[in-house]
Structures are given as C-alpha cells and as structure tokens.
Amino acid sequence: MRHLLYPSKTSESTYAIPFEDLYKKGYRGVIFDIDNTLVPHGAPADERAVLFFDMLHRIGYDTMLLSNNKESRVSSFADAVNSKYIYKAGKPLKKGYIRAMERMGTEPSNTLFVGDQIFTDVWGANRAGIYTYLVEQIDPKEEIQIVIKRRLEAVVLLFYKFHLFRHRKKNK
C-alpha cells in the first residue's frame, strides 16, 4: 500500500504532464488545484491556461477545479477555462474529491488529480483513491502558513525520494 502523503507521480509543471498518454490509458477526468498549480497564487487564468484546458477538452477529458478558495476566485477562473468547479472544497477531506468525481461522472480508477501541495492536494486525493500528480509550485512567494507547510512537505518529499530510490534499486 502506498503512503497517503506520497504522490503517484511528480512533474516539474502541470503543463508537462503527458495527458494524451494518460487518456490512452483510460483516464477521463482531471481535477485541478488552481493556485500555484495552473497560475501563480491569486492570478487570473492566462492564455496558457485557457489553451491548456481547450486541449484537454479536445482530447476528451472532463475537468474540475477543486479549491479551498472563495467562489469569486474559483468561478471566474472556471469561466475563463470552461471548467466545472467546487469552491470551499474542504481539502484534504475526501468529500470534495468524491463530489468532483460525481459531477464529472468518473470514479477513482479513471480520474487524475493535479496539485502543488502534499498536505491538502495529494493527501486528500490519495484518500479518495485518485491517481495524483504533485507539481512544483509556480511562484515561490506565498503566504506564511503555506511557507511553513512547504518546509514540512520538504521532509515528506525527502522520504518519498528515498522510497523511490530504494524501490528502483530493489527492482534491478
């Protein structure tokens, strides 16, 4: 059994994840965090995000924004990228992730989650049984409570990398 704080995969960027390959493997829904996952914290949807969501929809994905932010922040972003959304999601509680899948008509086996934080994004999605991508934060400037969490996340990532190294060495 995988540790609930470990992502299924990591990526330097949301925009570098091989979504076409994942679609061929049967994934049909993608749930995204917004801030520091798709754009810098608090930024509106930019052209890159709009084109990215257009590409995902052309591939065949249904998309969902899952955020702990207020509706005004999440709905304006969702409108710009033409995506469903849930605001004040209560991450890392499972209920937001489950609601997201219900609204997309997907289940854990064909849903992906992409986010930049371990203790909210990855932990919650893993608890819901979803395949998780942890991406590097876009902008290092963050609120103090997130900076503190990032330091704790660094410890978890160190153990995660050690786990991957040991697993690869064992399988050679």
Side-chain angles (χ1 to χ4, degrees):
M1 186 166 129
R2 191 165 45 94
H3 193 290
L4 289 177
L5 293 177
Y6 292 172
S8 306
K9 285 272 196 176
T10 59
S11 178
E12 66 184 35
S13 167
T14 298
Y15 302 99
I17 296 171
F19 286 101
E20 287 186 16
D21 294 342
L22 292 163
Y23 190 85
K24 290 174 187 172
K25 290 181 180 180
Y27 291 98
R28 296 299 180 259
V30 188
I31 305 169
F32 291 97
D33 176 49
I34 300 172
D35 290 323
N36 262 337
T37 297
L38 295 165
V39 293
H41 188 81
D46 57 16
E47 184 179 358
R48 178 169 77 158
V50 171
L51 293 173
F52 174 70
F53 274 79
D54 284 347
M55 183 248 337
L56 291 174
H57 295 145
R58 275 195 316 276
I59 291 171
Y61 282 107
D62 198 351
T63 59
M64 175 70 67
L65 301 173
L66 187 70
S67 176
N68 287 343
N69 257 308
K70 296 176 184 173
E71 185 173 21
S72 58
R73 164 71 175 135
V74 183
S75 67
S76 64
F77 197 97
D79 288 346
V81 298
N82 193 27
S83 181
K84 297 171 181 155
Y85 69 92
I86 297 173
Y87 67 97
K88 290 189 180 178
K91 295 185 294 184
L93 298 176
K94 286 177 14 176
K95 66 180 180 174
Y97 299 89
I98 292 167
R99 240 175 69 214
M101 288 185 286
E102 287 171 353
R103 290 193 49 209
M104 289 191 300
T106 62
E107 52 194 50
S109 63
N110 65 357
T111 304
L112 302 166
F113 181 86
V114 181
D116 70 302
Q117 293 187 52
I118 290 174
F119 295 121
T120 50
D121 299 329
V122 170
W123 187 30
N126 280 341
R127 290 172 61 215
I130 301 170
Y131 194 88
T132 56
Y133 266 90
L134 176 68
V135 296
E136 293 178 18
Q137 68 192 69
I138 293 173
D139 186 357
K141 297 177 192 163
E142 296 179 300
E143 298 168 352
I144 188 65
Q145 70 271 18
I146 296 175
V147 170
I148 292 167
K149 280 198 291 185
R150 294 275 187 208
R151 292 199 175 142
L152 294 172
E153 287 179 351
V155 175
V156 173
L157 285 173
L158 183 65
F159 281 99
Y160 169 71
K161 289 175 184 175
F162 177 72
H163 168 78
L164 289 179
F165 173 76
R166 236 180 55 196
H167 182 71
R168 285 184 189 132
K169 189 174 180 182
K170 184 175 141 182
N171 289 332
K172 281 189 178 184

